[in-house]
Amino acid sequence: VYLFLLPTFPLLLTCDYYPAVSALYHGFFRWDGATFAQWTGIGNFIRMFQDPIMMQAFGVMAKLTGFQLLISITFPLAAAAVVFHLKDTRFAYFYRMLYVIPMVVPSMVTMMIWKFIYNPQVGLLNTVLRAWDLPTRVWLGDFKYTLYAVIGVGFPWIAGTSMLIYLAGFQAIPDELLDAAAIDGASGLKCFRHIELPLVLSQIKLIVVLTMIGAIQNFAGILVMTGGGPGTSTMVPGLWLYRNALNYNKMGYACAIGTFLFIVTMVLTFLNLRFIRSSAEFEAA
């Protein structure tokens, strides 16, 4: 068994750990990815906080992360609660499958579909607005509305993975506890608020961590939808890292951005794991 595991370690070291260590190391150099690297110390990190585009990108990232956190702990949680409380197991299975099936569609395909929906001439959204005699917009080309259009991608925001994680948390609640709560008169929203929600905080914590990591690292969706535009109104740190590395050959600066994003992710993850604890975790402690 150990011999079968051995081939994975060279691949992990080469493809995962070495790039991460190399990025951390080259973040302290002026480097184009090919020629000799020139030591700059923390110059790249200082430059990052003096870069107006980077500062704007941090603001956009904060807004997107906040909205995605709000979405990820409300809509999938509500859907999971509804499916969990369905009495007919056949209907519960049917609705669970409806939420899971979209997971087989590649994310890039989803982005392209939404880009077509936002098309100002033939897109579905503007077509509906015209039918109702409402004003239309160039959704992905308007400085005022582009960021909100990006946030709207995926409506009604019930991610299959998140919904399944929440549903697993609900199903792990002992039936005896729910029966006792029903006998005591706790039903409906009262039971959800005082019994079920505290017992699925572990799942909420997991979703919060995954959402933060995805929101901080994500740039592919922005690249496909808007390319960071119009102007730099939807620029995010990951996309600015990508452009500096591949378009401007500023690999050292890009490595510094990546290192800083890693630190931010680690700090936020630690705070979440440290301060958000479920009732079951408190009892175990």
Side-chain angles (χ1 to χ4, degrees):
V1 174
Y2 291 104
L3 290 176
F4 281 114
L5 289 174
L6 283 178
T8 63
F9 289 103
L11 293 174
L12 284 173
L13 291 173
T14 303
C15 301
D16 289 336
Y17 291 102
Y18 172 74
V21 173
S22 176
L24 177 62
Y25 173 76
H26 286 103
F28 297 94
F29 290 85
R30 181 179 292 109
W31 183 49
D32 63 3
T35 58
F36 180 75
Q38 179 183 357
W39 171 263
T40 60
I42 62 172
N44 284 327
F45 296 92
I46 295 175
R47 176 185 174 188
M48 186 192 316
F49 291 99
Q50 295 175 343
D51 186 345
I53 297 179
M54 192 65 197
M55 291 298 98
Q56 182 182 15
F58 279 132
V60 173
M61 181 188 73
K63 293 178 182 178
L64 290 175
T65 303
F67 275 106
Q68 289 179 18
L69 284 173
L70 178 63
I71 289 168
S72 66
I73 60 178
T74 52
F75 291 89
L77 180 63
V82 171
V83 172
F84 173 68
H85 286 285
L86 288 175
K87 300 301 182 182
D88 192 321
T89 56
R90 293 174 299 175
F91 279 108
Y93 178 79
F94 173 73
Y95 283 113
R96 187 166 68 247
M97 287 298 298
L98 286 182
Y99 288 125
V100 171
I101 287 175
M103 293 172 58
V104 304
V105 180
S107 59
M108 288 299 103
V109 174
T110 303
M111 293 295 174
M112 295 304 296
I113 292 173
W114 275 91
K115 190 172 183 179
F116 176 78
I117 291 174
Y118 287 135
N119 186 287
Q121 281 78 40
V122 295
L124 176 64
L125 181 56
N126 276 353
T127 300
V128 172
L129 292 175
R130 291 191 194 98
W132 291 348
D133 293 326
L134 295 174
T136 60
R137 298 281 188 275
V138 183
W139 297 102
L140 298 179
D142 192 313
F143 283 88
K144 186 176 180 180
Y145 295 100
T146 301
L147 185 59
Y148 298 104
V150 172
I151 293 172
V153 171
F155 181 83
W157 306 304
I158 302 177
T161 302
S162 300
M163 195 277 293
L164 289 178
I165 291 174
Y166 286 133
L167 184 59
F170 284 118
Q171 292 174 340
I173 299 174
D175 293 335
E176 297 81 2
L177 184 59
L178 297 177
D179 293 338
I183 293 173
D184 291 337
S187 60
L189 291 177
K190 184 181 292 185
C191 180
F192 175 78
R193 177 182 176 185
H194 297 287
I195 304 297
E196 296 170 355
L197 188 60
L199 291 174
V200 297
L201 276 180
S202 294
Q203 285 71 31
I204 293 175
K205 179 169 62 176
L206 173 61
I207 295 299
V208 168
V209 170
L210 295 177
T211 301
M212 286 193 304
I213 293 174
I216 292 173
Q217 295 181 349
N218 179 56
F219 73 91
I222 297 292
L223 178 63
V224 171
M225 296 289 292
T226 66
T232 56
S233 60
T234 57
M235 181 66 67
V236 291
L239 182 55
W240 191 231
L241 181 158
Y242 171 85
R243 286 190 174 178
N244 276 278
L246 300 183
N247 294 354
Y248 310 140
N249 293 325
K250 298 177 181 179
M251 290 292 295
Y253 184 43
C255 288
I257 296 174
T259 299
F260 182 75
L261 293 179
F262 167 74
I263 294 172
V264 170
T265 303
M266 288 295 294
V267 170
L268 292 177
T269 301
F270 171 78
L271 293 176
N272 177 70
L273 295 176
R274 177 67 177 82
F275 294 107
I276 300 180
R277 303 178 68 185
S278 69
S279 298
E281 289 175 309
F282 279 118
E283 292 175 1

